[in-house]
């Protein structure tokens, strides 16, 4: 018997691939202490098919069905890592584009004991990308890989294919609670947040047998947002949404004034629409991981809406005071006021709007409130962002 291994297979409507995947995986791992763990987010009867195939499978096969697919495929992998019987885990897709016959090569490479992660790469000698199909998909894949490696030159220095979904990892080297997966690219999440040693084996990426690809423009947007979050932290996404809001504000004002609306009313409408739009985008892309412990969505919106309106009402008089008192140009004064407003908005949302409700309730019931000040909270917030993920 070889070292124990759990093969984690996240699935979404992959019923037609289950039987062949189990058969080929069991054959590849014959003679090893192994199990297959499906983490299924499907809307069809994939879970029932796994249970049917498991009854006669030559190795143990389990399935976890998630009613709420939090974190997408990456979240499913984390659930699998937590539930695996073995510490050595191999993640692979359920669409058979990752050949199960490569499993022994991953395990043999790991047995050299000089790596914590062994990834199957399409881009090293012996690898093949024909399974990507069209030239467009190949170009998007390569561009995403180059962009990712450029943003993490140290952490991904030894990885030619950080976007691969076929890899082995020793979960004892992971802090699973620290992972915040979004979308497909769980290996990128692991490599960006850790200093794990990585090795690679070549992979011939196969064509899809059944079902349809889950790639979409929405997944692409999720990937870009997650990449920015990993590289720069929440503050960069907050700033990007602010820039989009400013552009939208100008566009709304232009459209309304062109339609004959007085510019003051156009400015007010543009500002209010932008504030609401920014809040919705921040909920989805910036503070999504903090919503569970925060107050209700209505309270969060009210706090955000009120603060942004008060900030906007105060900023212009302050800007005018700077011009009159310091005798600087209005453009410079506007720039300074916007920088200060940006940090004020970010800190207010991080520390107040999305503050954990449980923490406040615990302080209310405790005999002695824990020592804490606004200054300490601000310092901790800035420190947490500056040190994420540790390559600055």
């Amino acid at each position: 018997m070889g070292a124990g291994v759990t093969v984690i297979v996240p699935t979404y409507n992959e019923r037609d691939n289950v039987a062949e995947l189990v058969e080929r995986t069991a054959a590849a791992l014959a003679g090893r202490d192994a199990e297959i763990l499906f983490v299924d987010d499907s809307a069809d009867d994939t879970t029932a098919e796994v249970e049917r195939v498991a009854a006669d499978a030559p190795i143990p096969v389990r399935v976890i069905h998630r009613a709420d697919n939090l974190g997408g495929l990456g979240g499913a992998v984390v659930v699998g890592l937590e539930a695996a019987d073995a510490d050595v885990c191999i993640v692979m897709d359920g669409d058979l584009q990752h050949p199960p016959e490569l499993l022994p090569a991953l395990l043999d490479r790991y047995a050299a004991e000089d790596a914590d992660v062994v990834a199957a790469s399409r881009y090293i000698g012996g690898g093949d990308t024909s399974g990507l199909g069209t030239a467009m998909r190949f170009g998007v894949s390569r561009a995403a890989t180059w962009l990712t490696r450029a943003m993490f030159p140290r952490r991904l220095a030894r990885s030619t294919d950080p976007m691969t979904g076929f890899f082995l990892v020793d979960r004892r080297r992971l802090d699973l609670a620290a992972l915040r997966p979004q979308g497909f690219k769980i290996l990128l999440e692991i490599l960006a947040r850790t200093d794990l040693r990585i090795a690679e084996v070549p992979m011939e990426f196969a064509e899809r047998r059944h079902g349809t690809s889950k790639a979409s423009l929405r997944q692409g947007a999720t990937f870009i947002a997650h990449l920015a979050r990993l590289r720069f932290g929440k503050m960069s996404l907050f700033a990007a949404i602010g820039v989009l809001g400013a552009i939208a504000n100008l566009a709304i004002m232009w459209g309304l004034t062109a339609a004959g609306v007085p510019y003051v009313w156009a400015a007010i409408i543009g500002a209010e629409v932008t504030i609401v739009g920014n809040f919705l985008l921040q909920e989805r892309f910036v503070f999504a991981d903090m919503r569970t412990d925060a107050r209700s969505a209505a309270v969060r919106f009210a706090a955000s809406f009120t603060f942004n309106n008060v900030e906007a009402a105060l900023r212009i008089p302050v800007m005018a005071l700077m011009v009159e008192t310091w005798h600087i140009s209005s453009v410079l004064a506007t720039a300074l006021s916007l920088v200060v407003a940006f940090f004020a908005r970010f800190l207010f949302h991080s520390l107040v709007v999305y503050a954990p409700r449980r923490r406040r309730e615990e302080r209310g019931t405790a005999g002695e409130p824990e020592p804490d000040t606004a200054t300490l909270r601000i310092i901790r917030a800035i420190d947490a962002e500056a040190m994420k993920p540790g390559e600055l």
Side-chain angles (χ1 to χ4, degrees):
M1 302 291 287
V5 58
T6 295
V7 178
I8 299 170
V9 186
T11 52
Y12 182 76
N13 297 345
E14 300 287 359
R15 175 191 57 199
D16 295 335
N17 295 321
V18 170
E20 182 179 349
L21 187 147
V22 170
E23 179 184 0
R24 291 170 59 185
T25 299
L29 296 176
R32 298 180 186 265
D33 179 14
E35 68 161 347
I36 305 174
L37 174 58
F38 288 85
V39 184
D40 184 43
D41 295 336
S42 298
D44 63 5
D45 57 350
T46 297
T47 293
E49 176 67 5
V50 173
E51 292 171 343
R52 184 191 70 79
V53 172
D56 299 320
I59 63 175
V61 177
R62 294 188 288 142
V63 61
I64 298 173
H65 181 74
R66 299 199 306 165
D68 181 11
N69 60 346
L70 183 66
L73 181 145
V77 171
V78 173
V79 169
L81 289 170
E82 293 172 338
D85 281 344
D87 289 321
V88 177
C89 299
I90 297 178
V91 178
M92 64 184 295
D93 288 349
D95 56 12
L96 294 174
Q97 290 190 285
H98 296 159
E101 291 74 21
L102 195 60
L103 292 168
L106 293 171
L107 289 166
D108 291 344
R109 182 64 185 82
Y110 175 71
E113 299 184 348
D114 61 350
D116 308 301
V117 174
V118 181
S121 173
R122 296 162 290 184
Y123 303 121
I124 60 174
D128 184 79
T129 60
S130 59
L132 287 171
T134 65
M136 175 64 75
R137 286 192 65 195
F138 173 79
V140 169
S141 175
R142 286 302 280 167
T145 299
W146 289 331
L147 174 62
T148 304
R149 295 188 68 197
M151 294 185 72
F152 297 92
R154 181 173 62 85
R155 303 252 174 155
L156 302 183
R158 296 177 59 84
S159 174
T160 64
D161 195 359
M163 319 297 286
T164 183
F166 194 8
F167 62 92
L168 176 152
V169 63
D170 185 343
R171 72 173 177 185
R172 292 168 295 188
R173 298 282 290 129
L174 292 175
D175 179 3
L176 296 180
L179 298 178
R180 297 290 184 270
Q182 290 291 329
F184 285 28
K185 308 307 178 184
I186 182 61
L187 179 60
L188 171 61
E189 170 83 10
I190 290 172
L191 296 178
R193 292 191 186 276
T194 68
D195 288 313
L196 298 188
R197 301 168 299 170
I198 184 172
E200 295 182 326
V201 297
M203 171 180 62
E204 295 184 7
F205 194 61
E207 295 183 3
R208 170 179 284 274
R209 296 292 187 87
H210 304 284
T212 59
S213 173
K214 310 305 185 297
S216 64
L217 288 177
R218 180 179 179 181
Q219 286 294 338
T222 299
F223 164 68
I224 294 297
H226 187 48
L227 188 62
R229 185 184 298 114
L230 282 171
R231 173 64 277 183
F232 303 113
K234 295 181 186 300
M235 193 176 291
S236 64
L237 290 176
F238 193 86
I241 289 172
V243 171
L244 288 176
I247 296 172
N249 195 340
L250 292 174
I252 291 170
M253 283 191 64
W254 178 84
L256 291 176
T257 53
V261 176
Y263 75 90
V264 173
W265 284 107
I268 293 173
I269 294 171
E272 299 307 312
V273 171
T274 300
I275 288 173
V276 174
N278 282 4
F279 173 78
L280 295 175
L281 291 174
Q282 290 159 9
E283 281 269 299
R284 174 65 179 83
F285 294 110
V286 182
F287 298 107
D289 59 331
M290 300 171 67
R291 290 182 301 184
T292 302
D293 294 334
R295 292 171 290 185
S296 68
V299 174
R300 296 196 301 270
F301 174 75
S304 176
F305 186 80
T306 301
F307 179 84
N308 280 287
N309 276 284
V310 170
E311 177 271 321
L314 291 176
R315 180 162 44 84
I316 294 177
V318 169
M319 179 192 67
L321 181 63
M322 292 167 60
V323 173
E324 296 298 328
T325 304
W326 295 353
H327 304 292
I328 61 177
S329 72
S330 59
V331 173
L332 178 58
T334 300
L336 291 174
S337 66
L338 287 174
V339 170
V340 173
F342 164 74
F343 284 104
R345 287 195 299 268
F346 178 76
L347 292 175
F348 180 82
H349 282 75
S350 295
L351 303 177
V352 179
V353 177
Y354 294 92
R357 180 178 59 250
R358 294 173 187 171
R359 186 185 304 165
R360 288 194 298 271
E361 292 172 351
E362 289 168 0
R363 286 180 189 159
T365 57
E368 284 286 337
E370 61 181 71
D372 197 17
T373 65
T375 301
L376 288 175
R377 291 196 298 272
I378 291 172
I379 291 174
R380 285 198 298 270
I382 294 174
D383 178 68
E385 293 305 319
M387 295 307 294
K388 191 187 300 179
E391 200 179 89
L392 300 182

